[in-house]
Amino acid sequence: MNKLSVLPLFTFLVFANILQGQKSDFEQQLQGLSYRLAGPTRGGRVTAVCGVRSKLHTFYMGSTGGGVWKTEDAGTSWKNISDGFFEVGSIGSIAVAPSEENIIYVGTGSAALRGNVSIGKGLYKSSDGGRTWTKKGLEATGQIGKITVHPQDENTVYVAALGNPFGPNEERGIYKTEDGGENWHHIHKISKKTGAIDLVMDPSNPRILYAAMWTAERKPWTLIDGSEESSIYKTVDAGVTWTRLKGGLPQGITGKAGIAVSPVNSQRIWVIQEAKDEEKGGLYRSDDGGDTFKRINRSHELRQRAWYYNHLVAHPGDENTVFLMNVRFHKSIDGGEHFTPIATPHSDNHSLWINPDHPDIMIEGNDGGACVTLNGGKTWSSQNNQPTAEFYRVTVDNQFPYRLYGAQQDNTTISVPSKALNYLDPIQDWISVGGGESGHIAVDPRNPEVIYAGNYIGQIDRTDLTTGHGRDVVAYPQMHDGTAGRDIRYRFQWNAPIRISRHDPDIIYHCSQYVHKSTNGGQSWSVISPDLTTDNDLYQDIPGGPVQHDHTGVELYTTIFAFEESSYHAGELWAGSDDGLVHISKDGGQNWKEVTPAGMPTGGTVNNIELSAHEEGRAFISVYKYRENDFTPYIFMTNNFGESWTLLTDGSNGIPDDHF
């Protein structure tokens, strides 16, 4: 699961002028290394989009891992405009000032709280259409869910801050600036656990705003979703005072909500609200400015996985038309009583901006990137022109030229060549190799046409590209969704390791809480280890609550997260768990010994094990605990098979100590 090191795009090192001058000094030789993009240009998840009202083909998108991008040709091509300015790549909101379109505000930290979300680092402002950027504070607000700019004053801005996704913090709530971000005022706050997820201004009166407050927090084993503090608030005095709206809206324990106000009739307000009481959730509408609400649609299709979606946008020219983003992109022309899906290039829809003067012109953000329509959604621009894909792991094969492989979050596995081939279109070079969005990939060193690729809940495929034949070789066919971890036979993680033996390519390893071994291409598996985790029952319930559960496999905890075999000795196996344990076996799994470093943080996730190719017994492990609000990097080294360890990240080696 959770993004240990999610790569925003495929990169790899190439030698430049390596023979020039026959340099012998190693550091000088390193200067000959440079980066280049190998691909793919297939879009990754986007939860923030915006357009420019007067420039019909100019739009901005913010990805969850690749920063901010701009198009001036309606999505035909995109250019990154945040590199070199932003400290993080995760973007939560984008807003162009209506009164001065060269001024853009961007809030970092995507607020669609998947288990692999990255934390934000504040708000940025550009005054020249995105050419340059200046940081404008709010560094500790975590995920910024929405930015709203005053229609006549580009210096008056409101920000909805959801907060730190991994722990309580005082900075949750709504902020306001009246000087373009030089100073911020915390104008609405509920508690350390409840932040703002949506913020909508009345189009007819900028002193009136509606805010959705949401209690939300991520842990490695669960999602905290909702409380009695989650609610809808209204201000009529530009944020000086706030009133909690009731009048028919669900009360008690509620979850994430989305808000829309009709620009045609500002008395018409929609709220998509999830509640612990299933009978109370759904789409609500007010026709009296929020005094009273009536539920007009309770379709589960509109509010499934509410914590990930629940987004509404009102049509700028028709008070009966409203759009709702969920797995599918929905449109209603009768005030929300009925919806019709509109096809988009990718499912899982999050964000929408409609040009107020030309409502058929829209930009939409989803898990496959951003796409533009000029005809009301009949056709969309391509998402195969955005190098913002997120990858958990990258591997290569032994061909020449070699190929690179990765499982793309929210998409399929994909392989690209290290060197561009002479095809009409680079997309023709792309191939899927089985598995799915989250798994490891292992390529047979003898035959790069044979590939093992994983996915969540233990799925693993063996694919032969020569014949085009693929088959599922899962160790045990059990559906994990809706099942408590304690009741799952094999707890395969979202990002479960797969390895082919360095010494015998007929041996395949796949890890749950156990190490599994196959010698016949996955037709059968044997368990060669005891449970190598803490097996703590406290973390093995169905994840999520009190409002919604989220059991996609991201939160499956007490699992093996990292696994390697020594290049020196066959059967020397190393395993690291997501709950803080390291084990080694020197006899092919017959016996295992715990070698967890004494200085490892309790419950830290062993993200990676790197075994030295130069010294027997030398190993490095990288460990993180950011999902429990500890952003310290931990890298340990052993020279004696784990008998003792040295912490390399002690603050003196240049690695920042405030971000995982």
Side-chain angles (χ1 to χ4, degrees):
M1 126 32 261
N2 289 4
K3 201 179 294 193
L4 3 160
S5 52
V6 170
L7 307 179
L9 38 86
F10 271 177
T11 55
F12 73 100
L13 290 168
V14 294
F15 283 101
N17 303 320
I18 192 170
L19 299 179
Q20 183 180 359
Q22 297 295 317
K23 298 177 182 178
S24 58
D25 182 83
F26 182 63
E27 298 225 350
Q28 288 183 314
Q29 292 184 36
L30 286 180
Q31 295 176 6
L33 296 173
S34 62
Y35 285 96
R36 71 174 175 88
L37 175 66
T41 54
R42 182 167 73 170
R45 180 167 28 127
V46 166
T47 57
V49 296
C50 193
V52 180
R53 184 171 185 167
S54 67
K55 299 178 181 178
L56 303 188
H57 294 168
T58 298
F59 302 91
Y60 301 93
M61 71 163 174
S63 71
T64 58
V68 180
W69 296 71
K70 181 178 182 178
T71 178
E72 296 179 287
D73 52 20
T76 301
S77 61
W78 291 89
K79 178 183 179 181
N80 183 279
I81 58 174
S82 59
D83 284 357
F85 296 99
F86 287 34
E87 294 180 49
V88 296
S90 178
I91 306 301
S93 183
I94 302 176
V96 174
S99 58
E100 176 47 71
E101 293 177 338
N102 282 320
I103 293 181
I104 311 162
Y105 294 94
V106 172
T108 59
S110 175
L113 288 190
R114 289 187 63 110
N116 50 18
V117 72
S118 294
I119 194 168
K121 282 280 189 175
L123 184 135
Y124 289 82
K125 177 183 178 181
S126 174
S127 299
D128 53 15
R131 286 191 292 273
T132 61
W133 296 87
T134 303
K135 195 171 186 179
K136 292 296 181 180
L138 302 182
E139 288 89 347
T141 55
Q143 315 307 92
I144 293 178
K146 192 70 175 290
I147 300 172
T148 301
V149 185
H150 192 289
Q152 288 87 41
D153 180 7
E154 62 272 13
N155 291 314
T156 297
V157 184
Y158 299 86
V159 168
L162 182 60
N164 179 358
F166 306 114
N169 65 317
E170 296 280 359
E171 292 79 9
R172 296 173 185 253
I174 298 174
Y175 291 81
K176 179 182 180 180
T177 180
E178 295 178 296
D179 54 15
E182 296 301 319
N183 298 281
W184 292 94
H185 306 283
H186 201 173
I187 61 173
H188 186 49
K189 176 183 176 182
I190 303 295
S191 75
K192 294 181 180 180
K193 294 185 176 182
T194 301
I197 187 62
D198 202 2
L199 183 63
V200 179
M201 184 178 289
D202 185 325
S204 66
N205 186 348
R207 293 177 61 80
I208 299 176
L209 295 97
Y210 300 87
M213 310 300 289
W214 181 34
T215 304
E217 189 179 323
R218 278 284 181 180
K219 298 296 183 187
W221 55 86
T222 196
L223 162 70
I224 299 171
D225 174 21
S227 75
E228 292 186 354
E229 295 180 346
S230 299
S231 50
I232 307 296
Y233 281 81
K234 178 181 180 179
T235 179
V236 296
D237 52 17
V240 177
T241 60
W242 295 82
T243 301
R244 181 169 180 168
L245 298 185
K246 297 181 180 179
L249 286 174
Q251 302 301 308
I253 297 176
T254 59
K256 186 179 180 182
I259 308 170
V261 180
S262 171
V264 181
N265 173 14
S266 61
Q267 293 296 296
R268 174 161 284 188
I269 304 158
W270 291 273
V271 172
I272 179 73
Q273 177 72 70
E274 190 58 23
K276 183 179 181 181
D277 184 346
E278 178 71 17
E279 294 301 314
K280 295 181 179 179
L283 180 65
Y284 288 77
R285 191 180 76 205
S286 172
D287 289 308
D288 55 14
D291 290 340
T292 61
F293 284 86
K294 179 182 178 181
R295 187 171 67 176
I296 58 173
N297 197 313
R298 57 168 296 180
S299 170
H300 182 70
E301 186 179 24
L302 303 180
R303 55 194 175 97
Q304 58 182 311
R305 267 184 119 199
W307 60 266
Y308 195 41
Y309 307 108
N310 271 21
H311 309 286
L312 288 167
V313 175
H315 192 282
D318 181 0
E319 67 176 276
N320 290 312
T321 298
V322 63
F323 298 89
L324 187 149
M325 277 69 71
N326 201 281
V327 175
R328 295 200 287 181
F329 180 42
H330 302 271
K331 177 182 180 181
S332 172
I333 58 174
D334 61 5
E337 295 186 18
H338 303 88
F339 283 85
T340 301
I342 297 176
T344 52
H346 198 285
S347 62
D348 298 329
N349 300 275
H350 301 285
S351 186
L352 176 69
W353 181 86
I354 305 173
N355 189 297
D357 303 317
H358 305 275
D360 278 349
I361 297 178
M362 302 185 286
I363 180 172
E364 204 262 352
N366 54 59
D367 278 2
C371 49
V372 174
T373 180
L374 304 178
N375 53 21
K378 295 177 182 178
T379 58
W380 299 88
S381 62
S382 174
Q383 294 180 321
N384 287 332
N385 55 9
Q386 305 158 33
T388 55
E390 298 173 293
F391 293 91
Y392 292 92
R393 313 283 179 172
V394 174
T395 192
V396 299
D397 61 25
N398 290 337
Q399 299 182 74
F400 184 81
Y402 60 91
R403 296 185 67 92
L404 299 95
Y405 303 79
Q408 181 181 342
Q409 172 63 42
D410 301 309
N411 220 306
T412 66
T413 57
I414 190 169
S415 173
V416 300
S418 59
K419 178 181 179 181
L421 305 178
N422 295 320
Y423 290 155
L424 295 176
D425 191 320
I427 296 175
Q428 292 179 272
D429 297 343
W430 304 355
I431 56 174
S432 174
V433 293
E437 63 180 308
S438 65
H440 283 240
I441 296 173
V443 185
D444 192 318
R446 303 162 299 185
N447 180 7
E449 302 295 303
V450 175
I451 300 166
Y452 296 85
N455 202 357
Y456 51 86
I457 66 174
Q459 298 174 81
I460 178 172
D461 297 332
R462 181 189 186 276
T463 300
D464 188 332
L465 297 177
T466 303
T467 63
H469 176 68
R471 57 188 173 89
D472 187 350
V473 292
V474 65
Y476 184 74
Q478 180 178 3
M479 189 65 179
H480 291 190
D481 290 354
T483 305
R486 66 177 66 90
D487 298 324
I488 297 174
R489 181 169 182 173
Y490 297 137
R491 297 190 300 272
F492 283 100
Q493 230 282 338
W494 178 262
N495 194 224
I498 301 172
R499 291 291 183 270
I500 296 175
S501 172
R502 299 172 181 265
H503 304 276
D504 182 357
D506 286 328
I507 296 176
I508 315 298
Y509 298 103
H510 194 199
C511 301
S512 58
Q513 73 270 41
Y514 309 110
V515 178
H516 301 257
K517 175 182 176 181
S518 176
T519 58
N520 54 12
Q523 295 184 61
S524 62
W525 295 87
S526 59
V527 174
I528 62 168
S529 78
D531 188 328
L532 299 181
T533 75
T534 65
D535 193 24
N536 191 333
D537 186 73
L538 291 175
Y539 305 122
Q540 294 178 357
D541 205 350
I542 295 177
V547 176
Q548 276 204 339
H549 297 288
D550 179 29
H551 202 191
T552 55
V554 175
E555 297 78 12
L556 196 58
Y557 196 54
T558 62
T559 69
I560 296 174
F561 207 75
F563 176 86
E564 295 295 342
E565 181 185 33
S566 168
S567 60
Y568 280 98
H569 303 294
E572 181 188 316
L573 310 176
W574 295 69
S577 74
D578 60 4
D579 58 352
L581 297 180
V582 181
H583 287 83
I584 183 174
S585 173
K586 295 182 179 180
D587 53 14
Q590 296 182 50
N591 297 280
W592 291 84
K593 179 181 180 181
E594 184 187 341
V595 291
T596 305
M600 183 187 292
T602 302
T605 293
V606 182
N607 175 31
N608 199 56
I609 300 173
E610 193 71 27
L611 303 181
S612 173
H614 307 285
E615 295 288 340
E616 294 184 65
R618 174 175 290 177
F620 301 85
I621 61 171
S622 59
V623 179
Y624 66 66
K625 205 179 179 183
Y626 73 94
R627 295 177 296 165
E628 293 183 73
N629 207 24
D630 179 357
F631 295 94
T632 307
Y634 299 95
I635 301 176
F636 296 89
M637 179 183 72
T638 180
N639 288 312
N640 52 13
F641 299 95
E643 294 295 327
S644 61
W645 296 85
T646 301
L647 177 65
L648 300 182
T649 49
D650 58 1
S652 63
N653 56 6
I655 297 179
D657 61 359
D658 63 345
H659 201 278
F660 76 96

